[in-house]
Structures are given as C-alpha cells and as structure tokens.
Amino acid sequence: MAESIILDLERSFGSLNECVLITNAERTIVFVNDAMVDLLRESKDKLVGSTTERFFADASQFAAMGELYKTPSDQRHRKSYELELVRGDGSRTIAEVVSAPLFDSKHSLEGLLFIARDQSERKALESKLSDIALTLEDALDAITEGFAIYDSEDRLIICNDQYREIYAHSAPAIFPGNRFEDILRFGLNRNQYDTGNLSNDEWLEERMARHLAADGSVVEQNLGDGRWLRVSETRTTSGGIAGIRADITELKKARAQAENAYRNLSLMADNITASVTEVDVDGNCVFVNKTGCEWFAEKPETLIGTRLRDRLPWKEREQVRAAFDQALRGEKVSAEVSFHFPDGVHRECLMSCNPRVAEDGTVEGIVVLISDITDRKKTERTLAELYAITSTRELSHDDKIAEILRLGTEHFDLPFGIISHVIDDHYTITHAHSPGEEFVPGTSFPLENTYCRLTLDADGPLATAKAGESEFARHPCYEIFALETYIGAPLLVDGVVHGTINFTSPDTRKRPFSPADIQIVRQFADWVGHEIARQRDHQALMDAKINLERVASIDDLTQILNRRAFLERANTEIQRFRRTKQPFTAVMMDIDKFKQINDLHGHAAGDEILKLFANVVGGALRAVDVFGRVGGEEFCMILHNTSMEDAMLVCERLRVRIMEECQLDRVEQTVTCSLGLAAAAREDVEFSTLMQKADTALYEAKSTGRNKCVAYVGEPEKVSVF
C-alpha cells in the first residue's frame, strides 16, 4: 500500500517544476520530487526518512513551522513563508514555502505538503538593482560639472544640481519629462544665452542641430551673464543623449592674460637655457619659455592656464607650493629642489621665485627661474645615499642589492639595473630592477650576446649613451635587445670574476656619461662584490646551524620529530590553546605486538615497519598537525583545531589505512595499531597531563583487544571505544 501511495505521489508531483516535499504527522519526509532534490542538493535516499530540521539556517524557524502540524486548519496554511535554507553541499539559499495539510478518510492529519520556490535569483537581482541605483545617485552627486540625460524622445530623464545651477534662469523648466527644446526656449525668453548676431530662432535651430548630432564634439557656449561653458553631448545606446557642461569662464580669462604676457616675454626668455615661467596668484601658468616647454614636454598653449606643479610628483609639488606661498608674501625665494620633469629627465635644480608686485603693493604673480645643477648635485647625493645603504643594519643582503640597483637607475636616469653571474659562457641574471619586469632573475643568455662581454674584456667600467653610434652597434646585443644606453662594470668576489653590474635603456641618454658616473658604477661593483662574499660566508654558517638543529630534533630512523622536539612543539600547542581556545586532540599510538615482530623476524624487519608506519601516518596528516616518535614503537600526534568527534573519524581512517599499507611480505603477522585520544581541556596546563590522558586511553585500547581507537572522557575507567 505504501509503495502504491509513493508511486501515486511520483506520478502526481515527480515531474513538476515546482519543488514538492511531503512529510507525515511526525515531520518525517516521505516524498520529495526531483525539483526539491535539486533545490536541497541532497539525494532522495538521504532525504526520505529524515526530517527537514538540518536544512533550516535558523532553528527557531523550524520550531515555528511545527505549529502547522498542531493546527492543520489554521490560517497559517494560507500564507507563504520565506525561509533561509542550508543545502546539502553547505551553500545557502532563500525559498518561499507554502503548505497544505493532508488528511485521511477520518479527517485525521496524515501529514503536510510543502511547495517551495527558490528566491535566491530574485533576491540577488533586487540587491543588484538597488546597488546600481545607489551608485548612479552617488556618481551624479560627485560630478562637479553639469550633467543631464535625455531619452530617445529628447525628454529629460535625470540631471544633477550643478546642471540646474549653471542654467539658473531655466531651472523652473528643468524637470523630468520636459523636452530639451522647450527648456532652451524657456531660457531664451529669459536671456539665458548670448545669441551673438543670430536671432533667437536662428540660434535655436543651430543649437538643436548640434544637440541632435550628439557626436561627442566639444563646443563653447556663451551665456547672457558673460560666463562661458564647455558643452559635450553623446548618444546613449538606447538612443538618448547624455551631456556635460563645465564652466570655463576663469580659464578663458586666464588664457587671455597669458597670451598678453607671452608676447612680452617670449622673445627674451626663449634665449635662456633655464626654465622661465610666470604664474598667477593661484599658481596657474601665464607664461613659459622654450626651455620650460621642453622640460614639461608640452607646447605653450597646452601649459598656459594650468598649474605646472600639478605635472610633478606629489612630494615635489609640496616643495614648490611652500616656495610659492613664501613668494606670495612678497619675499624672494631661492632653493635647491630635485624635479622629475614630464620629459622623463630627473634634474637637480636651483629654483628662484621672484614676486611680481603691482602698483598697490600686492603680489599679482610670480616669475620662476629654474636652473639645472644636476651634474654636481647628483654625484653628491648618490655618494651620500650609497654610504647610507652600505652602512645600515636595517636592510638584508637582497634589500641592499635592490637598493643599489634602484639608486643606480635613479642616478643614471635609466630604467633597468641588472646584476649577473657569469659561469663560463653563460650569463645569468641574479638581481634585476625593471619597472615592467622585463628582466627576471634566473634568466640566462649566452655571454656573447650581452654587452657585458665587452665589459669583461675591458677589465673595467664601460659606458655608452648612444650605442648606435659606437662600437656597441656591431655587437649582437644591439640587434637582440636594442639597448641604446649602457654603463657597466665587472663584479669581483674574492678577487675572481663573478659577473657584472650594469644599467641600461632602450632609449638614448640625454646626457653623456661623465667621469664621475664611471667612478660611481665602479663603487657599485666593488660594494656588491664585497656583499656577495660576505653573504656567502653568512649562508655557510646558517646552513651549518640548520643542519645541527635538524640532527638534534629529527628521529634518525623514521625521519620525524624525536621525543624532545615533539614535546617542545606540543607544549607550544598547549599555550596556544590556552590563548585562543581553539580545540586540538592528542593521540597516543602504539604498534600492536611489535616485540613479537622483532623476536620472530629480527630488528631489521621491525625498523622497516617503524619507517613504513611513520610514512603512512605522516602522509595522511595536514601540515598544521604535529607527529613524533616518543618511544620504541610509541608515537604521538596532535590534530590541530580538531574536536574529539572529528579526531575519532581521523584516527579510525588511520587505523584502517595502517592495516592496509603497513604490511611486509616477509612478516606474516598483520601489523595493527592501537590509539588513545584525549582532547585538550582547560585544566591541561602542561602537555604532559594531556599526554597522560591519551596514554590512559591507549592502555584501555591495548587491554581490550588492541587495533582500536579509544577516547579519554574522564576518570581512567571512563573511556569511549570507537
């Protein structure tokens, strides 16, 4: 009869897309269809006969649903419930559930039918739409320019407050749904726009044509109050138009002033090799000479009206700002400053800021003269920094070499710094400084294909700023790597050639190398050679120390921790447990009847069993677990962050695995193992107490038949056998 009912349920609900689950009056699942199996991600065999309690993320919801079984005719069955479910694979979902009571012929409650719908996609979509709306709202508020979007019928969809502020006279007409042309007419009637020589209708026709073109071009718009706007409009994918308005009034004024200053100063200033600029009280450039344009790598019309210091790194901007602030107070300022100019050249400069004072005594601008003193200052600074790097104890060996390479690339204004090791005809990169990781440590080349072959042949530093115009052009490296600039020196370690240090670039260096540069690269090579020798000596000492420590802590036979090393680690775990309260379980292990194996088959066989045992157990543990040999055939392990229940499962798998894998053909006896488990408790101040508990459980396992796992749960006689 039951099979007939289940068959009828399968025919009725089995192929439905809706998720169906039926329970009896005791809340035991008697039927689930395929859709419900997919929703809960559990097999039918595991679902039928169990309860739904384990699928409730909130246990109180499971309890509340129990009321449906007590009052089957209640109104509760007429409403839906939104439940958070934990599926069989551990993932979570949201489901909408409705229920219906099932009665027998006597109108007694036989069970409940539940229909569920997965709501996770709907919830995710609602959350995504909410996030998009909030993001759009935040983005509009953050835009400093006026911004508006019109739909495909040219009606306003949305705009920000800046848009309304820019067109203040038209603001009453700027509301969603109003057409762009109507907003323009409203503004025209209130003199919002400067139409020039055009009539209102002519201006409107021309403006609408540009608007409807929406080709992304930028135009300037003059308003009736004298303000200027930069307008850009673009088609949206839905056929609407998005537009941005930026107030450029002040920029227009600044450009007019700059053009006047430029005509007065350009003839004189362009003949000066230093950078000459004039800025207004806000720091905006109103004049720049030819040298300044070269250093800032832009044309005058691009630089004028902008703050030149904004084109410098932030630290340098701060130095310039401080000098400008002082000059704005009417003081002449002179300072040595290091600049990384946009043309890619790092210059040490003498900067002089001279205030330009108006007739009323107020400062109306600053004339800035910047002279290049790089050659002198760079050498002084590099030597000082090299001393600091080589004398500090805060940097490791590799850090010091990395700093030397960084310092070299900065000093020579080259992107790549390399230290190589040369063995026979093989050139291998050991350290590299390259912004895009073009050169990777460990990469090898034939020595003949590198410029360093020339350096080693020269037996001293070698440099070229224009490889294409020197002997380097005939070298294979020039064709393979296309490096135009090179400076390098041999590296000697204990008087023997180790490799080279070199700095290179695919671009021609703007300055030729000086004699001071040759001495700098020689000093780099000398120091790196000494450091490599020192590091070799240090590494030899460290390797010897590690070997000694390993000999003192590793069991010779099994190659796992010996008793002393294991107990040290174990006491560390106890202290961690007392700090973090994270559980762990100690397990004592003893190979059953091991003495009998030694007696019958010899100690060689016993040793093989011990090694095999250690390999099998060690290979099954995690990296965080601790395993050691604490006696002849006794072992102990610590299962990190593992409760007694989980530890029992682990130990039982180990026990079976030992029976399967720890056997020798010449030993007829089946090798088995007894295990005693003890979970760390608050009273375990030292590991010895926990180990004693595990040993007590092990004794129980041995005395009650061996080849089993026993857990310590209290007094010695209170143990649990798995």
Side-chain angles (χ1 to χ4, degrees):
M1 182 65 178
E3 292 180 356
S4 175
I5 292 173
I6 292 174
L7 181 61
D8 290 341
L9 292 176
E10 185 64 35
R11 288 177 177 174
S12 301
F13 303 113
S15 61
L16 284 182
N17 292 329
E18 303 287 3
C19 303
V20 178
L21 181 147
I22 298 176
T23 68
N24 60 20
E26 288 74 35
R27 304 185 73 174
T28 300
I29 299 172
V30 298
F31 171 79
V32 290
N33 70 348
D34 293 339
M36 181 62 78
V37 169
D38 292 339
L39 175 64
L40 296 179
R41 297 182 181 176
E42 191 67 272
S43 66
K44 283 186 180 182
D45 293 340
K46 292 184 179 180
L47 289 171
V48 175
S50 67
T51 71
T52 59
E53 181 175 9
R54 62 191 171 108
F55 296 106
F56 282 77
D58 184 353
S60 64
Q61 288 185 330
F62 176 78
M65 295 291 284
E67 296 298 319
L68 297 174
Y69 293 82
K70 299 178 182 179
T71 54
S73 60
D74 195 284
Q75 294 294 325
R76 291 186 178 91
H77 291 289
R78 299 184 182 182
K79 66 178 184 178
S80 61
Y81 297 84
E82 188 168 275
L83 305 175
E84 183 180 9
L85 303 179
V86 180
R87 298 190 279 202
D89 62 0
S91 63
R92 297 192 176 207
T93 189
I94 302 295
E96 183 185 42
V97 179
V98 296
S99 63
L102 301 174
F103 300 100
D104 61 14
S105 58
K106 298 179 181 180
H107 204 68
S108 297
L109 182 69
E110 278 289 312
L112 294 181
L113 179 145
F114 294 92
I115 298 177
R117 296 183 180 89
D118 191 347
Q119 301 294 308
S120 57
E121 292 186 1
R122 178 178 65 81
K123 289 286 186 180
L125 181 59
E126 290 176 353
S127 175
K128 185 175 182 179
L129 291 174
S130 176
D131 290 343
I132 292 173
L134 291 174
T135 301
L136 178 59
E137 184 177 337
D138 291 341
L140 288 177
D141 290 340
I143 296 174
T144 58
E145 295 85 2
F147 177 82
I149 298 179
Y150 292 83
D151 62 18
S152 58
E153 297 180 355
D154 214 18
R155 297 182 182 276
L156 180 66
I157 298 176
I158 190 171
C159 70
N160 61 1
D161 291 339
Q162 288 86 342
Y163 188 83
R164 292 188 175 89
E165 291 174 3
I166 288 173
Y167 297 113
H169 295 317
S170 303
I174 301 175
F175 55 83
N178 202 11
R179 295 188 311 141
F180 180 75
E181 184 176 348
D182 294 336
I183 296 173
L184 285 181
R185 289 185 182 277
F186 188 92
L188 278 171
N189 293 334
R190 287 157 181 77
N191 300 318
Q192 176 80 73
Y193 308 100
D194 181 354
T195 60
N197 297 324
L198 301 176
S199 67
N200 282 1
D201 289 340
E202 290 172 337
W203 183 93
L204 180 63
E205 182 181 357
E206 183 179 298
R207 178 68 186 92
M208 285 299 299
R210 290 199 307 269
H211 171 73
L212 294 175
D215 56 6
S217 60
V218 176
V219 297
E220 293 184 353
Q221 184 182 79
N222 193 10
L223 300 183
D225 58 6
R227 287 180 297 143
W228 283 88
L229 302 178
R230 180 183 287 125
V231 179
S232 176
E233 295 172 307
T234 308
R235 278 288 169 194
T236 65
T237 56
S238 61
I241 297 175
I244 293 179
R245 276 74 168 165
D247 191 329
I248 60 171
T249 306
E250 294 303 319
L251 178 61
K252 296 278 284 186
K253 291 180 181 179
R255 284 180 176 173
Q257 294 174 358
E259 289 171 2
N260 183 54
Y262 182 79
R263 283 192 298 269
N264 295 331
L265 296 174
S266 60
L267 292 177
M268 177 185 67
D270 282 346
N271 293 318
I272 300 176
T273 56
S275 169
V276 180
T277 59
E278 182 180 353
V279 299
D280 62 20
V281 294
D282 294 321
N284 295 317
C285 176
V286 296
F287 173 80
V288 57
N289 74 339
K290 182 179 179 181
T291 300
C293 291
E294 292 173 354
W295 290 3
F296 283 96
E298 292 288 357
K299 296 180 179 179
E301 54 267 28
T302 303
L303 298 174
I304 291 173
T306 67
R307 293 208 309 183
L308 299 184
R309 69 173 182 255
D310 289 343
R311 300 171 185 269
L312 302 172
W314 73 269
K315 288 185 179 180
E316 296 165 16
R317 291 201 300 269
E318 286 298 303
Q319 292 176 299
V320 174
R321 183 191 60 78
F324 279 14
D325 289 346
Q326 190 174 349
L328 288 173
R329 295 194 294 269
E331 304 174 22
K332 292 184 178 181
V333 181
S334 181
E336 292 184 357
V337 185
S338 175
F339 286 130
H340 292 79
F341 283 98
D343 67 348
V345 178
H346 175 207
R347 294 179 175 89
E348 299 294 333
C349 300
L350 177 63
M351 181 178 67
S352 299
C353 300
N354 301 281
R356 185 164 62 82
V357 182
E359 293 181 358
D360 60 1
T362 60
V363 175
E364 60 182 15
I366 303 172
V367 177
V368 183
L369 176 67
I370 303 178
S371 303
D372 188 348
I373 58 171
T374 302
D375 290 339
R376 174 172 60 87
K377 295 300 296 181
K378 182 177 287 187
T379 299
E380 293 175 358
R381 189 178 64 181
T382 298
L383 291 174
E385 191 168 354
L386 178 61
Y387 175 78
I389 293 171
T390 56
S391 61
T392 184
R393 294 187 178 182
E394 298 299 321
L395 298 176
S396 67
H397 165 77
D398 287 335
D399 290 340
K400 286 185 177 182
I401 291 181
E403 285 296 295
I404 289 291
L405 290 177
R406 175 197 60 78
L407 179 60
T409 57
E410 291 179 359
H411 177 84
F412 298 120
D413 293 324
L414 302 175
F416 308 129
I418 293 174
I419 291 176
S420 68
H421 187 198
V422 174
I423 301 178
D424 297 329
D425 293 328
H426 297 284
Y427 173 99
T428 302
I429 298 173
T430 59
H431 298 80
H433 177 94
S434 55
E437 297 186 357
E438 293 86 350
F439 297 102
V440 179
T443 306
S444 294
F445 306 99
L447 178 61
E448 293 300 323
N449 291 343
T450 69
Y451 287 154
C452 292
R453 171 78 275 172
L454 300 177
T455 302
L456 294 176
D457 290 343
D459 196 25
L462 203 61
T464 179
K466 297 180 179 180
E469 301 175 9
S470 70
E471 61 176 326
F472 285 77
R474 297 188 294 273
H475 195 276
C477 184
Y478 186 75
E479 181 179 350
I480 296 172
F481 298 103
L483 296 173
E484 281 291 341
T485 303
Y486 172 91
I487 183 170
L491 277 181
L492 302 181
V493 176
D494 294 332
V496 178
V497 173
H498 175 84
T500 63
I501 180 171
N502 65 84
F503 302 90
T504 60
S505 173
D507 302 317
T508 300
R509 192 170 187 260
K510 296 186 178 181
R511 289 191 182 91
F513 290 108
S514 66
D517 292 329
I518 297 298
Q519 292 304 314
I520 288 292
V521 78
R522 190 194 300 275
Q523 290 196 40
F524 287 164
D526 289 345
W527 186 89
V528 171
H530 292 317
E531 179 61 18
I532 291 174
R534 188 197 64 79
Q535 180 64 16
R536 283 181 178 177
D537 295 340
H538 175 73
Q539 189 61 47
L541 290 174
M542 292 301 297
D543 291 344
K545 179 175 179 293
I546 291 171
N547 288 334
L548 289 174
E549 290 177 349
R550 188 178 186 280
V551 169
S553 61
I554 299 299
D555 179 66
D556 289 338
L557 178 64
T558 60
Q559 294 301 300
I560 61 175
L561 295 178
N562 59 26
R563 181 181 181 88
R564 181 191 61 79
F566 175 81
L567 292 178
E568 288 179 357
R569 288 283 301 278
N571 280 312
T572 300
E573 292 298 321
I574 280 288
Q575 297 307 316
R576 181 183 291 121
F577 166 73
R578 294 180 65 81
R579 290 195 311 272
T580 65
K581 302 299 185 279
Q582 285 190 342
F584 75 86
T585 301
V587 182
M588 285 294 295
M589 312 173 70
D590 187 89
I591 300 175
D592 296 328
K593 299 181 180 179
F594 183 75
K595 184 176 183 302
Q596 182 174 312
I597 294 174
N598 278 337
D599 292 343
L600 294 177
H601 303 282
H603 288 280
D607 288 348
E608 287 190 50
I609 293 292
L610 290 173
K611 289 190 289 185
L612 187 58
F613 180 88
N615 287 336
V616 170
V617 176
L621 298 180
R622 302 166 297 177
V624 295
D625 298 327
V626 184
F627 180 46
R629 183 184 181 190
V630 295
E633 67 271 22
E634 286 188 334
F635 297 80
C636 189
M637 61 182 179
I638 294 175
L639 300 180
H640 179 73
N641 199 17
T642 305
S643 64
M644 176 62 78
E645 181 180 357
D646 292 337
M648 269 293 188
L649 296 175
V650 172
C651 290
E652 180 59 21
R653 287 196 297 268
L654 272 176
R655 185 187 65 79
V656 173
R657 187 170 178 176
I658 289 166
M659 291 177 61
E660 295 173 349
E661 300 180 18
C662 286
Q663 310 303 321
L664 292 180
D665 292 339
R666 66 176 183 272
V667 177
E668 296 179 358
Q669 173 184 328
T670 300
V671 177
T672 61
C673 174
S674 299
L675 300 93
L677 293 76
R682 184 172 52 188
E683 65 270 12
D684 295 319
V685 178
E686 299 290 341
F687 183 73
S688 58
T689 59
L690 182 61
M691 188 175 180
Q692 180 60 45
K693 295 176 183 178
D695 201 48
T696 300
L698 174 63
Y699 177 80
E700 179 69 17
K702 302 288 282 188
S703 62
T704 56
R706 299 183 178 86
N707 193 24
K708 62 178 64 178
C709 303
V710 174
Y712 179 88
V713 293
E715 297 301 324
E717 67 274 16
K718 296 179 181 179
V719 292
S720 176
V721 180
F722 188 85

